[in-house]
Amino acid sequence: MSTLSIGLLYGGATLLAMFAGMPIAFALGAIATVFMIAFMPHGSVDTITQNVYEEMASITLLSIPLFILKGSAIGRSRAGQDLYGALHAWMHRIPGGLGIANVFACALFAAMAGSSPATCSAIGSAGIPEMRKRGYSGGFAAGIIASGGTLGILLPPSITMILYAVAAEQSLGRLFLAAIGPALLLVVLFAGYAMWRFRHEYNAARLHYEAGGAHSELLREDTLTTRDKFALLPRVLPFVVLLTGVMVALYGGYATPSETAGLGAVLALALIAGIYDVWRPKQLEPILVSTLKESTMLMFIIGMSLLYSYVMSYLHISQSTAEWIVSLHLSRWVLLFAILIMVVVLGFFLPPVSIILMTAPIILPPLRAANFDLVWFGVIMTIVMELGLIHPPVGLNLFVIKNIAPDIPLRDVVWGVMPFVVLMILAVIVLCIFPEISTWFSDLVMGK
């Protein structure tokens, strides 16, 4: 059987297994095992555990459960609500300050937790009710939190970027540094839209009131004093210091990513014990159970994805596909556009983890041949995969928002995030035109 036939059969069987409702890890592992039995030497089946272990025996992957523990410790305490409350207090006088505070809270919390769903849940549980109480429309409030949560896989520590660094064999530190500029760009775009949208809703509410309509909460002014503002800082500053310390240790070369993850996890547990009195076994149980479940699920998906990629490489499916793409002699930008469209489509069905590990052997060689910077592409691909978290039909963050705000119709949530989808596409275009936004900081710190 030709490589083309095997490749088509391999891809078709995978899609069939996934559409049948089989969990991703089991689907990838089962298909890989069946094709090993059918098309590889019989002894290869005996090496499945060895292959998976060798692929996962990476010191970089060790940091994933530790970052999850750090995020779980912060996400399951009141840190998110307190962070949001402090930002709201200091920014409430800015037009749209409440929406901007939610964007900044999502960015800071995402940088501490590294998880988009956790960010949506922690900030949204406080932010959405508060915004709606102040007169923000349900769709607008949901859109801010859902899109702000996507920063969780772009801002360090990003599990998605850790896996991309492993798959593309790129420096994790350089990749983390390259993501800071684009993350700030997205924060500015999101905050700018929040301010514009607030002015639009505020003016509409004012005109309605002047015409004899009901008084909107959007027109209400807060009366927080300076004492109130400073009273909110003691619980927040230690976590900001933790985030800063982790960044300095990682980017300053004082610790490896795994050491940084371990230090961050220990300090996060120490902070919630000291600030929120969360230290008893019964209180720590939800944190540890959540960490264990999420780490096990994620590492199982990684292991099966790596086995799937190994079989695809052994059968020359990935190499042949990459050679075929190169033989088309597409212009480098057409090639990039086609790959990003493929990533968007895959985002309808797969999480970022599987997309990276399944597509890396196919898309990276053509991109390397086209002289694209793979660190820069890693940032671009991460932003595009973020779209998968908020665009229908499967956007995970949409369902997280629906869970914490069940009274907001899903239709309103979807329409609320669409402007942010447009802003993310705009950010990708800007980064393609000005790649230095992504690369200058990493080049400055680590050299070209």
Side-chain angles (χ1 to χ4, degrees):
M1 188 178 291
S2 67
T3 302
L4 174 61
S5 301
I6 295 175
L8 292 175
L9 189 60
Y10 198 57
T14 304
L15 292 176
L16 182 63
M18 289 184 177
F19 282 125
M22 186 180 296
I24 292 173
F26 289 104
L28 297 179
I31 296 300
T33 302
V34 168
F35 274 74
M36 289 180 79
I37 296 172
F39 299 104
M40 293 172 62
H42 295 299
S44 62
V45 179
D46 298 332
T47 66
I48 289 178
T49 53
Q50 178 183 347
N51 288 330
V52 173
Y53 174 79
E54 289 178 352
E55 292 286 353
M56 295 181 66
S58 167
I59 193 65
T60 304
L61 293 180
L62 174 63
S63 62
I64 291 178
L66 296 172
F67 278 131
I68 291 175
L69 175 58
K70 171 172 164 276
S72 181
I74 295 172
R76 289 182 173 268
S77 68
R78 285 192 48 83
Q81 289 86 339
D82 287 345
L83 175 64
Y84 161 74
L87 286 170
H88 171 220
W90 283 89
M91 302 181 70
H92 72 280
R93 290 190 178 275
I94 302 172
L98 182 57
I100 297 172
N102 277 280
V103 172
F104 285 173
C106 284
L108 289 173
F109 191 87
M112 290 188 286
S115 168
S116 294
T119 301
C120 283
S121 180
I123 303 301
S125 59
I128 290 180
E130 189 68 21
M131 282 190 284
R132 298 195 71 192
K133 187 171 69 175
R134 302 302 175 89
Y136 285 64
S137 63
F140 181 30
I144 289 175
I145 300 298
S147 55
T150 62
L151 298 169
I153 67 171
L154 183 63
L155 283 165
S158 166
I159 293 172
T160 302
M161 286 197 163
I162 293 173
L163 294 177
Y164 178 84
V166 172
E169 298 179 347
Q170 299 296 311
S171 165
L172 179 58
R174 184 178 291 275
L175 195 60
F176 277 174
L177 288 170
I180 293 177
L184 293 177
L185 173 63
L186 284 174
V187 169
V188 170
L189 289 175
F190 290 175
Y193 171 75
M195 182 180 293
W196 175 86
R197 176 68 181 271
F198 172 83
R199 286 185 178 274
H200 176 74
E201 293 195 355
Y202 178 88
N203 289 334
R206 181 171 56 82
L207 291 174
H208 179 69
Y209 177 67
E210 292 175 352
H215 185 276
S216 172
E217 288 295 325
L218 283 174
L219 305 177
R220 191 183 79 183
E221 294 187 5
D222 290 312
T223 57
L224 289 172
T225 65
T226 303
R227 180 187 296 272
D228 295 331
K229 295 178 181 179
F230 278 99
L232 293 168
L233 293 182
R235 286 194 170 191
V236 174
L237 288 179
F239 290 97
V240 176
V241 171
L242 168 62
L243 171 62
T244 305
V246 167
M247 296 292 187
V248 171
L250 181 61
Y251 299 144
Y254 300 109
T256 65
S258 299
E259 292 169 345
T260 304
L263 177 63
V266 171
L267 291 179
L269 290 172
L271 284 178
I272 65 171
I275 297 175
Y276 299 104
D277 198 30
V278 177
W279 56 270
R280 298 173 183 82
K282 189 173 182 179
Q283 295 171 313
L284 292 175
E285 182 181 356
I287 295 174
L288 299 178
V289 170
S290 172
T291 301
L292 184 61
K293 286 183 177 179
E294 188 173 346
S295 299
T296 302
M297 176 192 69
L298 191 57
M299 296 303 287
F300 194 42
I301 292 176
I302 292 171
M304 294 301 102
S305 296
L306 291 171
L307 178 65
Y308 183 89
S309 299
Y310 165 76
V311 174
M312 188 163 57
S313 177
Y314 186 94
L315 297 175
H316 295 282
I317 297 172
S318 54
Q319 296 93 322
S320 298
T321 305
E323 291 171 2
W324 173 73
I325 294 174
V326 172
S327 69
L328 295 176
H329 301 293
L330 301 173
S331 70
R332 62 199 306 261
W333 294 110
V334 172
L335 172 66
L336 178 66
F337 179 75
I339 288 175
L340 293 181
I341 290 296
M342 180 187 70
V343 172
V344 170
V345 173
L346 289 175
F348 284 112
F349 313 105
L350 299 173
V353 171
S354 297
I355 294 174
I356 289 174
L357 296 176
M358 291 173 62
T359 62
I362 296 174
I363 64 176
L364 293 181
L367 289 169
R368 191 178 285 112
N371 295 319
F372 279 108
D373 184 339
L374 294 187
V375 171
W376 169 85
F377 173 75
V379 176
I380 295 292
M381 185 176 182
T382 300
I383 296 175
V384 172
M385 286 189 295
E386 287 180 4
L387 291 173
L389 294 172
I390 60 175
H391 70 55
V394 190
L396 177 59
N397 285 7
L398 301 182
F399 296 102
V400 174
I401 295 299
K402 184 61 179 171
N403 184 56
I404 62 177
D407 57 319
I408 302 178
L410 184 60
R411 178 177 178 274
D412 290 351
V413 176
V414 171
W415 281 111
V417 302
M418 294 313 293
F420 295 95
V421 170
V422 173
L423 291 176
M424 293 168 75
I425 295 173
L426 175 62
V428 170
I429 295 173
V430 170
L431 290 172
C432 288
I433 299 174
F434 304 104
E436 296 82 9
I437 295 175
S438 174
T439 58
W440 76 272
F441 192 41
S442 59
D443 289 343
L444 176 67
V445 175
M446 305 187 72
K448 292 188 177 180

